[in-house]
Amino acid sequence: MKVLDAIASRIGMSKAARNLIAVMIAHQRLHEVNEVLASYSAVVDEENSVTETEITTARPLDDTNRKLLEQQVAKLAGGQKVHATYFEDPTLLGGAVVRIGSTVYDGSVRAQLQQLKQRMVAAQV
């Protein structure tokens, strides 16, 4: 607890945060701090009407294109603010895959080519 107090005073940690960590240490639950932070973040996002999204593109996007894409994703999310985490997957070839909660919007070139292939195969039968 002395180490915790020293760190807390040095970084300006709030008393509530210090006490939470102290309780977690006392109950040998410090390994669950990431889960606590994730849950807290989810509550704060919900309070502020922020939607967590994952956006995967074939190549990196510049700031202008990120903002434009996030505006479109916000419309899909019912007009809520969007906090996007970006990933790259060159196998997409182009376009983007957007995940909002458990819903996936696949606007990638790869997905469009797969759909075209399925339609062509179905037309031959």
Side-chain angles (χ1 to χ4, degrees):
M1 291 301 163
K2 289 181 183 182
V3 172
L4 174 60
D5 289 335
I7 292 170
S9 65
R10 177 173 268 185
I11 65 172
M13 184 184 295
S14 72
K15 187 173 182 177
R18 182 258 176 229
N19 290 343
L20 173 64
I21 294 172
V23 168
M24 292 180 78
I25 291 170
H27 293 278
Q28 298 178 355
R29 297 286 188 215
L30 195 56
H31 63 277
E32 294 177 11
V33 74
N34 287 336
E35 291 178 47
V36 171
L37 291 173
S39 295
Y40 176 76
S41 180
V43 169
V44 170
D45 285 349
E46 186 175 327
E47 287 286 322
N48 293 318
S49 298
V50 174
T51 300
E52 291 287 330
T53 63
E54 293 179 0
I55 299 174
T56 305
T57 59
R59 63 179 197 275
L61 299 177
D62 60 24
D63 289 340
T64 302
N65 285 323
R66 280 184 179 214
K67 286 181 183 179
L68 290 171
L69 183 55
E70 288 175 17
Q71 288 172 353
Q72 296 303 313
V73 171
K75 290 177 186 176
L76 290 173
Q80 293 187 334
K81 298 173 193 169
V82 172
H83 179 260
T85 304
Y86 285 87
F87 300 95
E88 290 179 43
D89 181 359
T91 66
L92 295 180
L93 304 175
V97 177
V98 176
R99 180 183 305 271
I100 303 171
S102 62
T103 305
V104 176
Y105 300 93
D106 192 342
S108 67
V109 172
R110 178 181 66 192
Q112 292 173 17
L113 289 172
Q114 288 173 342
Q115 289 174 359
L116 180 61
K117 177 182 175 183
Q118 289 174 351
R119 281 185 267 161
M120 292 176 72
V121 168
Q124 291 179 350
V125 174

